[in-house]
């Protein structure tokens, strides 16, 4: 025998789920500083839009796959077109409210804002939920990192969007020499943590001249202290760090704020 749910029950469930999602987005928006509202006239790429009043907005906290956008020699990242289409589907032609959790403009005079669609949907959260972007924080713009990480983890666990492409796979600490000058998520166990003069070094192997290292400047330690994260206490711990991989006695990532580091055990 096939049991069918009454139509009113299905509708009630959908209303409940929609209300729950909207409620959570409303809670998030209320924690931010209110800005103005405008319609989205153009989507530049997966994390940048132009409003109908001429302002350009960078979706703060996100890093979507990058398009060349006229940059000479720049190679388009995988799924960059898909990320742009996803953002277009979400907000092109729709009214959005800008809200702020940190620095409001960048050196290019773009607005640095969280966007909330006219129906309350949190745009950053939905792009992460779809797997169309990674979390990308800065010392002066790291509000809501926890909520964004939760959505990113869920999408990665399901292999959605970019997380199905090896280009965006979480790296281990070995073999990062081929990833210099790229943005990566790196997981591994910290072999040794030490403070030497003006820096704290988290080394992933005994040979600090060649292994992968996370570097924290002493001038940034106050941010870690405020967050209750002591870099020196990470020795022996398994962590995930994100940032641009540089070459300095082997591959390294500068950690300028605690939100770059997730403690996994």
């Amino acid at each position: 025998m096939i049991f069918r749910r009454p139509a009113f029950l299905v509708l009630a469930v959908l209303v409940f789920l929609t209300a729950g999602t909207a409620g959570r987005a409303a809670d998030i928006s209320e924690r931010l500083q209110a800005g103005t509202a405008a319609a989205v006239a153009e989507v530049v790429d997966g994390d940048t839009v132009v409003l109908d009043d001429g302002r350009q907005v960078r979706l703060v906290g996100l890093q979507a796959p990058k398009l060349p956008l006229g940059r000479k020699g720049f190679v388009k990242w995988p799924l960059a077109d898909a990320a742009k289409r996803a953002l277009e589907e979400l907000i092109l032609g729709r009214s959005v409210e800008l809200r702020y959790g940190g620095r409001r403009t960048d050196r290019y005079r773009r607005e640095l804002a969280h966007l909330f669609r006219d129906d309350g949907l949190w745009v950053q959260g939905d792009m992460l939920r779809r797997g169309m972007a990674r979390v990308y924080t800065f010392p002066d713009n790291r509000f809501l990192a926890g909520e964004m990480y939760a959505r990113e983890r869920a999408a990665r666990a399901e292999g959605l969007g970019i997380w199905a492409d090896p280009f965006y796979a979480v790296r281990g600490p070995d073999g990062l020499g081929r990833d210099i000058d790229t943005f990566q998520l790196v997981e591994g166990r910290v072999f040794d943590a030490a403070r030497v003069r003006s820096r704290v070094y988290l080394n992933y192997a005994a040979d600090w001249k060649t292994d992968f290292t996370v570097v924290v400047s002493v001038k940034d330690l106050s941010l870690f202290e405020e967050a209750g994260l002591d870099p020196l206490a990470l020795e022996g711990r398994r962590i995930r760090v994100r940032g641009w991989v540089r070459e300095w006695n082997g591959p390294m990532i500068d950690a300028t704020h605690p939100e770059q580091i997730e403690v996994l055990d």
Side-chain angles (χ1 to χ4, degrees), residues 82-142:
K84 180 182 178 181
R85 285 195 300 271
L87 191 56
E88 287 174 337
E89 291 169 5
L90 281 174
I91 56 174
L92 185 60
R94 299 283 294 263
S95 177
V96 294
E97 181 185 9
L98 280 64
R99 285 187 170 258
Y100 306 92
R103 183 180 175 184
R104 292 191 173 210
T105 57
D106 65 12
R107 59 180 176 170
Y108 305 110
R109 298 184 180 179
R110 297 179 299 185
E111 299 275 332
L112 301 173
H114 287 269
L115 298 186
F116 292 84
R117 204 168 62 185
D118 47 14
D119 60 358
L121 180 135
W122 179 29
V123 178
Q124 272 90 331
D126 208 67
M127 287 292 285
L128 291 166
R129 181 188 65 81
R130 295 167 177 238
M132 285 289 105
R134 296 181 285 192
V135 178
Y136 187 35
T137 57
F138 292 87
D140 56 4
N141 244 316
R142 50 202 175 94

Side-chain angles (χ1 to χ4, degrees), residues 40 42-50 56-59 62 64 66 69 84 87 91 110-111 115:
V40 176
E42 178 188 354
V43 172
V44 178
D45 59 19
D47 54 36
T48 310
V49 303
V50 179
Q56 191 171 78
V57 181
R58 176 72 165 78
L59 275 67
L62 289 190
K66 293 184 178 296
L69 300 178
K84 180 182 178 181
L87 191 56
I91 56 174
R110 297 179 299 185
E111 299 275 332
L115 298 186

